[in-house]
Amino acid sequence: MVAQGFTVDLNKPLVFQVGHLGEDYEEWVHQPIVCKESPRFFENDLLEFLTLNTWWVIPLVWLPVVCWFVKSSVNMGVSSNQLAATIAAGIFIWTLLEYTLHRFLFHIKTKTYWGNTIHYLLHGCHHKHPMDGYRLVFPPAATAILLVPFWNLIKLLTPTLYAPALLGGGLLGYVMYDCTHYYLHHGKPLQGVSSKMKRYHMNHHFRIQDKGFGITSTFWDRVFGTLPPKSGKKLR
């Protein structure tokens, strides 16, 4: 199914084209097209609709869920100090998950037809069209599916009292991540921390794409040695 010398037609739905690129996919997907218009993914209108999300849907859907999980721990008798510490722990765990997923899953190298196709849907589309505001945040339906195994794992490893608050903290960390990520692409900070974060993330997209995997923080890049150099040869 991989076609040697294949050229993607940007005027046609992209998803089932990119797999044909084979080994050339890695280079193609890391040559960004800076345009705010959303490319067509699928011929089918329903499938196309399911790939489009506005940023404000994320807090609208998930903040009430965060509150429900946190309240569950409160109802079981967790004190205010314990609750704050557990939520903070959940947020901290999320930052590691954010880094790990971005580095090892979202930037996995693929060359088979289905490998390229799945990667493009998962993260490649974001690197090819980094200013596409409708495919920047993660669809809530997909998040809900992924939440199930994480919840089961937390219940297995965490005392019953604290499990809901820990998941609530992790989910809050995710909401902060997705909203921050959108802002770094579409906000216009002039100075301060947000401006530095935007430069850091744009550097990941447009200069050195195999460094700088943190979105909400550079902490884990520092820990694992993936901070981008201040200058040097462009890498992928």
Side-chain angles (χ1 to χ4, degrees):
M1 299 177 76
V2 171
Q4 189 172 6
F6 182 81
T7 300
V8 172
D9 186 344
L10 296 174
N11 295 314
K12 296 180 179 180
L14 297 178
V15 169
F16 294 124
Q17 290 190 71
V18 299
H20 294 299
L21 287 167
E23 293 181 350
D24 294 335
Y25 170 78
E26 179 71 15
E27 180 178 2
W28 177 85
V29 83
H30 288 110
Q31 295 173 343
I33 296 173
V34 182
C35 177
K36 291 187 177 181
E37 294 181 4
S38 297
R40 183 84 184 187
F41 271 22
F42 295 101
E43 286 279 4
N44 183 279
D45 289 337
L46 176 59
L47 289 177
E48 183 70 9
F49 172 76
L50 293 174
T51 69
L52 301 171
N53 297 276
T54 52
W55 73 269
W56 49 263
V57 168
I58 303 305
L60 182 69
V61 169
W62 293 116
L63 286 182
V65 180
V66 169
C67 292
W68 185 85
F69 277 112
V70 170
K71 189 174 184 299
S72 295
S73 283
V74 171
N75 290 342
M76 287 188 282
V78 175
S79 68
S80 297
N81 290 340
Q82 293 171 328
L83 187 69
T86 306
I87 293 172
I91 295 172
F92 182 74
I93 291 169
W94 164 258
T95 64
L96 178 58
L97 187 61
E98 168 196 316
Y99 173 89
T100 303
L101 289 173
H102 192 186
R103 179 179 178 182
F104 296 108
L105 179 60
F106 294 171
H107 280 267
I108 191 172
K109 296 184 186 300
T110 62
K111 60 182 180 181
T112 66
Y113 178 85
W114 287 111
N116 292 348
T117 301
I118 293 170
H119 179 267
Y120 182 77
L121 280 168
L122 188 65
H123 192 63
C125 61
H126 178 54
H127 272 265
K128 189 64 181 178
H129 294 87
M131 302 309 293
D132 181 355
Y134 290 101
R135 293 192 177 95
L136 205 158
V137 298
F138 209 58
T143 303
I145 292 170
L146 294 174
L147 202 60
V148 173
F150 280 112
W151 174 229
N152 288 331
L153 181 63
I154 288 173
K155 288 192 294 183
L156 182 66
L157 300 176
T158 309
T160 303
L161 287 175
Y162 303 106
L166 188 66
L167 183 65
L171 196 53
L172 178 60
Y174 159 71
V175 172
M176 294 164 62
Y177 152 78
D178 244 354
C179 292
T180 298
H181 192 195
Y182 185 90
Y183 178 72
L184 295 182
H185 279 266
H186 296 280
K188 297 179 179 179
L190 299 178
Q191 59 185 357
V193 174
S194 58
S195 178
K196 292 179 180 178
M197 289 171 65
K198 183 179 178 73
R199 287 198 302 271
Y200 186 83
H201 188 56
M202 292 302 103
N203 184 61
H204 170 74
H205 274 280
F206 296 103
R207 190 168 75 90
I208 304 180
Q209 296 169 343
D210 66 347
K211 303 288 182 184
F213 297 105
I215 307 297
T216 56
S217 168
T218 64
F219 176 77
W220 294 111
D221 282 311
R222 296 177 187 277
V223 170
F224 293 114
T226 52
L227 282 172
K230 294 185 181 299
S231 62
K233 185 179 178 181
K234 183 179 177 181
L235 304 172
R236 286 196 183 94

